[in-house]
Amino acid sequence: IEHCMIALEHCNDSLAAETLLLMAETFYQMEAFESAAKAYNELLIADSTHREGLYSAGTFKVDVGLYEEGAEHLQKYIDLYGPDSDAYFGLALAATGMEQPEVAVQHYTEVIRIDSTDEDAWYNRGGMYVTLNESDFALRDFTECLKLNNENADAWYNRALVLYDRSEFRDCQLDMDAYLILVPDDPNGYFVRGYARYNNNDEHGACADWKPCQDLGAKDLWKQVKPLCK
């Protein structure tokens, strides 16, 4: 790594693009992010259309929070080499990081158009629809995610929250049942399911859910609802 860093300091156009790519990826793996960014930049100066370099630089920069630069690389990759589900996924992550949920939805839609079995794209787009207060679309996407993987605990949890916000308390309870089978030690799951039961006029069931919160390290949650339990 030290030799790579010395070489990078004296980098010029004569250093092959493949060497720069190897150096950048090595720095990335070693979490030497500043050096990785420099290597990627030098690579794209040497060869601005380097296929693997554009994609790798884009995903790296998105990963470390350089969202605008990362998105620029990934978009150029798509423009040069055609639609690519992984590149669109990276663009969606960049848009999310820049707090552009509408744009993220567009990119996740491209991912799904290319590969409708991408569980993460369905899940993440559902989350963007939650941000946009589009509960019908959020429910659809979380449901599609669960069709692909019914052990996706986060999808069960987030669909339950959407259902709760829609006052669909019975369905919320059923989703949280599924979530708690997968994650039985999450006090938040019992807390939400308890409120679903409470709003379904099941005070006894609600309190049965809320009381374990204190045993699971969430005494503050129990304190919030203790007055509701006789």
Side-chain angles (χ1 to χ4, degrees):
I1 296 300
E2 291 180 1
H3 291 162
C4 286
M5 294 179 72
I6 293 170
L8 186 57
E9 289 299 320
H10 298 86
C11 178
N12 54 52
D13 290 345
S14 66
L15 191 58
E18 296 303 322
T19 302
L20 282 164
L21 178 60
L22 177 60
M23 291 168 64
E25 291 177 341
T26 300
F27 288 135
Y28 187 11
Q29 291 170 6
M30 298 298 294
E31 299 186 0
F33 298 141
E34 185 176 345
S35 295
K38 182 173 182 180
Y40 279 122
N41 289 340
E42 293 292 344
L43 163 60
L44 294 176
I45 289 172
D47 183 354
S48 64
T49 64
H50 191 285
R51 182 168 187 161
E52 189 175 354
L54 278 170
Y55 176 77
S56 186
T59 55
F60 158 73
K61 290 185 178 182
V62 171
D63 189 37
V64 300
L66 300 172
Y67 300 120
E68 189 172 348
E69 292 181 37
E72 182 180 341
H73 295 325
L74 291 170
Q75 187 60 59
K76 185 172 182 179
Y77 175 88
I78 291 170
D79 292 342
L80 289 172
Y81 302 110
D84 179 274
S85 61
D86 291 333
Y88 277 120
F89 200 100
L91 284 171
L93 294 177
T96 302
M98 292 186 286
E99 299 183 353
Q100 299 172 347
E102 298 94 342
V103 177
V105 164
Q106 294 171 11
H107 292 315
Y108 282 127
T109 299
E110 292 300 323
V111 177
I112 292 167
R113 182 175 291 118
I114 295 168
D115 180 8
S116 61
T117 66
D118 191 319
E119 167 193 346
D120 292 331
W122 285 107
Y123 174 77
N124 287 0
R125 193 176 70 171
M128 291 299 97
Y129 280 129
V130 170
T131 300
L132 295 168
N133 295 315
E134 298 278 2
S135 65
D136 287 344
F137 292 138
L139 284 177
R140 177 201 61 193
D141 282 4
F142 290 142
T143 299
E144 290 299 324
C145 175
L146 288 166
K147 287 179 182 178
L148 292 167
N149 178 11
N150 65 4
E151 293 187 354
N152 187 317
D154 289 337
W156 285 113
Y157 185 87
N158 282 284
R159 194 174 75 167
L161 294 182
V162 174
L163 291 165
Y164 186 91
D165 287 343
R166 290 162 60 102
S167 299
E168 298 179 32
F169 301 119
R170 177 57 181 164
D171 288 338
C172 170
Q173 179 184 331
L174 292 174
D175 274 16
M176 207 55 79
D177 288 346
Y179 171 74
L180 288 168
I181 290 173
L182 297 169
V183 190
D185 58 350
D186 182 6
N188 293 298
Y190 293 100
F191 188 73
V192 174
R193 189 174 70 178
Y195 260 113
R197 286 177 162 168
Y198 187 83
N199 284 294
N200 257 342
N201 300 312
D202 181 8
E203 181 180 313
H204 177 76
C207 292
D209 268 345
W210 289 333
K211 288 177 181 178
C213 289
Q214 57 186 332
D215 299 325
L216 293 171
K219 293 182 180 180
D220 55 329
L221 295 180
W222 167 239
K223 288 180 181 179
Q224 291 180 43
V225 294
K226 185 176 180 181
L228 300 177
C229 296
K230 299 176 182 179

